[in-house]
Amino acid sequence: MTRNISILLNTLRRTAQYPSGAIGLALVTTILLVALFAPLLAPYDPNKLDLVNRLSGVSAEHWLGTDQLGRDLLSRHIYGTQVAVVVALSVIAIALAIGMTLGILSAYVPGPIERFILISFDSVSSFPSVILAMAAVAVLGSSMPMLIIVIATSLVPHYGRVARAQVLSVKNEPYIEAETVFGASELRILFFHIVPNILAPLIVIASLDIPIVIAIEASLSFLGLGLRPPLASWGGLLQDGYQNISKSVLPVLISSTALAIATLAFTMFGEALRHAIDPRSQRGGKND
Amino acid sequence: MRLFESYVFNRVLTAVMSVFGAMLVIVMLLNVVPGDPATALLGPMATPEYARQFIAEMGLDQPIYVRLWRFFTQVAAGNLGTDVISGRSVNAIVWAALPHTFALALGSMALACLIGIPAGVYGAVHKGSVADTLMAMISVVVVSVPSFILGIFLLIVFSIWLNWLPVLGVSDSADLGDQLARMVLPTVALALGWIGLIARLVRTSMLEALGQNYVRTARAYGLRENMIHYKYALKNAIIPTLAIIGMGIGRLLGGAVLIEIIFARQGLGSVLYAALQARNFSVLQGSVFIVVVIFVAINLLTELSYSFFDPRIRYNRR
């Protein structure tokens, strides 16, 4: 256990050696802390209405002003951080777990099942993920668990394919053969040798997927297909603000800045982490 | 060439099967809809008989394999079905929207290449200069922040604060200038991230190319630097970027959906969104099908062209 923690600390230290990694790490830590201590940090109840002070600008009472119902925007965005972090981490955890299981499985099962798994991956990833999530959430309803499951499903193939490729490349390494010669069971080899060896690239992908999940959740909530008011999610706040943009630009500006900072922070952190773990890797893609 | 043909055949087959799979996902999704679509559409006042008739008209009383089969035979005949609500054919609705979405996606990609490629070359040639560092910083921001957020920032700055550009919609006037003016912000919003990405990729592969012997030879022959950079080095450096650009057009379609909604433009995105909100299954099914087909086709073409350029790829896959 102590060994694992020291590996973790060592990796984080190497991540922070890149300037963008240090900034990313600092911002990510701040975001996580804000999410964790939201009730302590928020100056007001995020749902407390104050109809007299609607869309008030920045003031000593309301540092970031109020929304169209007079709710304190700072408090709502602080709680929104919590929502974004909870959704992002649960989605990644579920997608990683299912994707890794299916990916590893596909490297071991007989041909027909293997093909079925691979075609399922292809089918799910033949949708642009926002569109799959839009359609699924619109049909299945938009509670937070449903949203998490839907976004996670759209990411499963991503992890599945990488896990599969990793297993296939590791499976025939000499040290695995040696284990087999020593009489280790397949399961033992799987859990003690293969899984630990394929975890690093998967974790890197996971960290780079966090901003993508945040963006998908925000865009769904922005379209009114995601989390519903009065729950304060950044996407929902953005929608509230967007509808009142002609009266005041401030709410939109705050929500989009929050989203921009969060996606930027997690991307910077993720890319530095990837460099720290595997300096040769390259990345292509855009957080749509 | 045999190997290449069987590789192509395999990829095409997988692509077709994944389109089938994707449609299965959609039809299944529509099948488990909570609260039946008739009540959702007709409202609580609908009589049971009318609701039943409506459901039969939409084909929703059929088992899933019948609906899937019906849909695919229709599609095979080039017909995406009829919108039960407006009575228009889904083909007409989708075809009317498609050019707008393509104009947006292709325009953005063209803009991204036009700015991103020279920026990448410049960054590689002037590595470590102030401009290079600045570009690297900007590129991190535009790549990380989702396009629809960038779009909102652009909208605030250029339409609301500076009041330079009209905000919303596709112009209904025939005035070309007005049409173009309304395209600027959504196109730039979509393009920004790809400018950053392309610049970054081109820069990396240019740096590699500039270190090669043939570049040194070209210099020794006294060729002009611009000629060396653009004619010799870039030609080799551009290949990995091509693949990303291809994939990017597919991704842009996804991004375009949101941008269209934010800027209230016509297009596949707004058709999809309207169908989602109205629970209009016939249009939803048809438009999602088109999105999936385009997305899969572009990814397939990209992959094939990539393996055509770099033969090592086709032998390594499955």
Side-chain angles (χ1 to χ4, degrees):
Chain A
M1 200 59 205
T2 34
R3 192 172 145 262
N4 286 343
I5 292 175
S6 84
I7 291 178
L8 180 72
L9 287 179
N10 196 22
T11 313
L12 286 181
R13 197 174 47 77
R14 268 186 293 153
T15 308
Q17 273 172 355
Y18 302 90
S20 68
I23 300 172
L25 186 61
L27 285 173
V28 165
T29 315
T30 314
I31 291 170
L32 293 179
L33 288 177
V34 168
L36 199 61
F37 297 111
L40 296 177
L41 292 169
Y44 292 90
D45 174 349
N47 295 323
K48 193 177 135 256
L49 307 182
D50 179 3
L51 293 172
V52 182
N53 288 313
R54 278 176 291 176
L55 293 170
S56 79
V58 176
S59 67
E61 293 87 58
H62 300 286
W63 289 2
L64 297 179
T66 59
D67 72 357
Q68 75 282 5
L69 297 173
R71 294 172 292 195
D72 180 53
L73 279 174
L74 177 61
S75 308
R76 286 185 76 68
H77 282 89
I78 288 176
Y79 275 89
T81 315
Q82 201 172 41
V83 172
V85 168
V86 167
V87 170
L89 295 185
S90 344
V91 165
I92 297 293
I94 294 175
L96 187 62
I98 300 179
M100 202 165 92
T101 313
L102 287 177
I104 293 175
L105 214 60
S106 78
Y108 283 98
V109 291
I113 305 178
E114 179 193 357
R115 240 164 285 146
F116 177 74
I117 295 177
L118 292 179
I119 287 180
S120 313
F121 284 172
D122 283 341
S123 303
V124 171
S125 48
S126 48
F127 295 89
S129 33
V130 177
I131 289 177
L132 178 61
M134 266 170 80
V137 169
V139 171
L140 299 172
S142 58
S143 61
M144 196 191 289
M146 191 54 81
L147 194 69
I148 290 172
I149 292 170
V150 165
I151 304 178
T153 309
S154 74
L155 292 178
V156 162
H158 197 180
Y159 297 94
R161 287 214 195 89
V162 175
R164 177 186 150 80
Q166 290 291 323
V167 173
L168 289 179
S169 77
V170 170
K171 216 169 138 187
N172 298 320
E173 292 277 324
Y175 68 91
I176 302 286
E177 279 170 20
E179 281 290 318
T180 320
V181 173
F182 286 142
S185 71
E186 284 274 341
L187 271 184
R188 191 192 146 78
I189 294 180
L190 187 62
F191 283 108
F192 285 87
H193 298 284
I194 293 188
V195 170
N197 268 301
I198 67 171
L199 220 46
L202 287 172
I203 288 174
V204 170
I205 297 182
S207 72
L208 285 168
D209 272 350
I210 291 178
I212 296 179
V213 175
I214 292 178
I216 295 179
E217 186 264 305
S219 44
L220 290 177
S221 303
F222 175 69
L223 297 178
L225 295 167
L227 301 169
R228 304 247 172 219
L231 186 70
S233 75
W234 286 341
L237 292 169
L238 192 61
Q239 188 201 30
D240 283 350
Y242 194 71
Q243 280 168 353
N244 295 293
I245 200 169
S246 54
K247 293 181 205 128
S248 165
V249 176
L250 189 65
V252 183
L253 205 58
I254 297 166
S255 314
S256 30
T257 308
L259 277 161
I261 292 176
T263 43
L264 187 61
F266 278 104
T267 309
M268 282 161 78
F269 171 71
E271 296 208 346
L273 182 69
R274 188 200 54 202
H275 275 291
I277 289 181
D278 179 10
R280 285 162 307 165
S281 52
Q282 262 217 348
R283 184 206 181 200
K286 158 102 187 104
N287 300 344
D288 266 317
Chain B
M1 222 43 203
R2 249 308 124 67
L3 245 166
F4 185 61
E5 277 155 20
S6 78
Y7 171 78
V8 171
F9 179 75
N10 258 324
R11 293 309 303 158
V12 172
L13 195 69
T14 321
V16 170
M17 295 196 44
S18 64
V19 171
F20 268 94
M23 283 330 284
L24 190 69
V25 172
I26 281 293
V27 176
M28 257 159 47
L29 266 180
L30 300 185
N31 212 37
V32 294
V33 57
D36 70 293
T39 0
L41 274 172
L42 304 173
M45 304 298 278
T47 60
E49 295 81 52
Y50 185 50
R52 220 169 297 130
Q53 185 201 341
F54 183 79
I55 287 205
E57 252 173 54
M58 283 183 101
L60 291 175
D61 52 345
Q62 306 289 329
I64 187 162
Y65 60 88
V66 175
R67 287 164 57 186
L68 201 61
W69 173 248
R70 240 189 227 171
F71 182 64
F72 275 112
T73 42
Q74 258 182 4
V75 168
N79 175 10
L80 292 174
T82 314
D83 174 4
V84 198
I85 297 169
S86 71
R88 292 173 65 197
S89 92
V90 177
N91 281 35
I93 298 176
V94 170
W95 283 119
L98 217 49
H100 293 288
T101 306
F102 264 106
L104 187 59
L106 293 178
S108 304
M109 196 41 101
L111 184 67
C113 293
L114 223 57
I115 301 177
I117 295 176
V121 173
Y122 185 89
V125 175
H126 303 267
K127 190 186 167 203
S129 67
V130 180
D132 181 36
T133 318
L134 204 65
M135 282 198 297
M137 277 156 70
I138 296 174
S139 122
V140 174
V141 175
V142 290
V143 171
S144 323
V145 179
S147 334
F148 80 103
I149 301 290
L150 293 173
I152 289 176
F153 279 129
L154 289 175
L155 193 132
I156 292 175
V157 174
F158 290 101
S159 297
I160 297 182
W161 287 348
L162 298 173
N163 210 0
W164 281 356
L165 291 163
V167 186
L168 301 176
V170 175
S171 163
D172 35 0
S173 78
D175 179 10
L176 194 67
D178 188 40
Q179 293 269 16
L180 286 177
R182 280 169 200 274
M183 272 209 64
V184 173
L185 285 185
T187 310
V188 173
L190 267 180
L192 274 177
W194 288 93
I195 295 176
L197 198 65
I198 290 173
R200 195 194 280 183
L201 285 167
V202 169
R203 182 182 177 276
T204 311
S205 38
M206 266 304 272
L207 277 177
E208 203 176 301
L210 288 175
Q212 301 286 326
N213 285 338
Y214 67 86
V215 169
R216 204 181 49 194
T217 312
R219 276 217 182 95
Y221 273 103
L223 292 181
R224 274 179 300 119
E225 282 293 313
N226 261 338
M227 175 104 145
I228 298 172
H229 299 155
Y230 281 95
K231 191 154 180 220
Y232 291 85
L234 183 61
K235 218 182 205 174
N236 288 296
I238 200 81
I239 293 177
T241 312
L242 281 183
I244 298 290
I245 293 174
M247 254 166 50
I249 295 176
R251 296 263 190 95
L252 275 174
L253 286 172
V257 170
L258 285 167
I259 293 286
E260 279 171 5
I261 295 165
I262 288 173
F263 288 95
R265 293 179 54 80
Q266 287 168 24
L268 213 48
S270 2
V271 168
L272 204 68
Y273 183 54
L276 279 174
Q277 286 196 316
R279 292 181 174 273
N280 188 340
F281 291 162
S282 38
V283 175
L284 188 63
Q285 204 169 250
S287 47
V288 170
F289 177 76
I290 291 297
V291 172
V292 168
V293 167
I294 297 172
F295 194 67
V296 171
I298 290 173
N299 283 346
L300 178 71
L301 283 178
T302 310
E303 210 172 310
L304 292 183
S305 69
Y306 199 40
S307 78
F308 189 75
F309 282 121
D310 188 349
R312 279 169 301 180
I313 289 161
R314 66 186 91 123
Y315 304 117
N316 288 338
R317 288 282 166 89
R318 293 186 215 147

